[in-house]
Amino acid sequence: MFTKRLRALREDSDIKQKEIAEALQIKPNTYNRYECGVNEPDMAMLIKIADYFAVSLDYLLGHQPKNTNHLPDLAHFLQNGDYQIFGRTPTDEERRKLTAVVKLFFQSPQ
């Protein structure tokens, strides 16, 4: 999965292996070996590659984390919990709006 993602990221960015190798401060043949699956980068290099392409390590490695979405708990708390905002308890309308905003930000892409 890593090699396919790495190559796709490079090709989608229309960048040559040599350019990426220079940016990562490695030899072009080292980068080529990563893309071909001959060698695997160490953790520090994986982080550099993820940063270079502005992607997460999970994405780069093809990792699908277990559902860690705690949105139902958060939405329930925002709607019904005992909390204050700016020193006062929110109204029902404010709770509804806040819950809607949080759902918007944490909603899984379709």
Side-chain angles (χ1 to χ4, degrees):
M1 179 63 77
F2 168 72
T3 58
K4 289 180 183 180
R5 289 262 163 101
L6 186 59
R7 183 177 184 147
L9 285 166
R10 179 181 60 78
E11 289 176 348
D12 290 348
S13 300
D14 199 28
I15 301 171
K16 297 192 181 311
Q17 288 184 355
K18 182 178 177 181
E19 294 175 62
I20 296 172
E22 287 174 7
L24 298 174
Q25 299 177 334
I26 58 176
K27 294 179 182 180
N29 66 337
T30 300
Y31 179 84
N32 178 270
R33 289 172 180 258
Y34 295 159
E35 228 179 72
C36 293
V38 175
N39 290 355
E40 293 182 356
D42 63 14
M43 184 57 70
M45 184 55 62
L46 284 171
I47 292 169
K48 281 184 169 183
I49 293 169
D51 287 347
Y52 179 84
F53 287 110
V55 297
S56 70
L57 287 173
D58 279 343
Y59 176 81
L60 189 61
L61 299 173
H63 178 250
Q64 296 287 331
K66 292 181 182 175
N67 185 2
T68 57
N69 184 355
H70 298 288
L71 182 57
D73 293 338
L74 178 58
H76 179 76
F77 174 76
L78 291 173
Q79 192 64 45
N80 304 303
D82 183 22
Y83 62 96
Q84 292 189 342
I85 298 177
F86 302 117
R88 65 177 182 76
T89 301
T91 66
D92 289 343
E93 179 65 13
E94 290 169 333
R95 288 173 182 268
R96 185 190 63 72
K97 288 179 180 179
L98 185 57
T99 301
V101 168
V102 169
K103 284 182 178 179
L104 178 69
F105 280 103
F106 288 97
Q107 191 173 31
S108 299
Q110 303 297 334

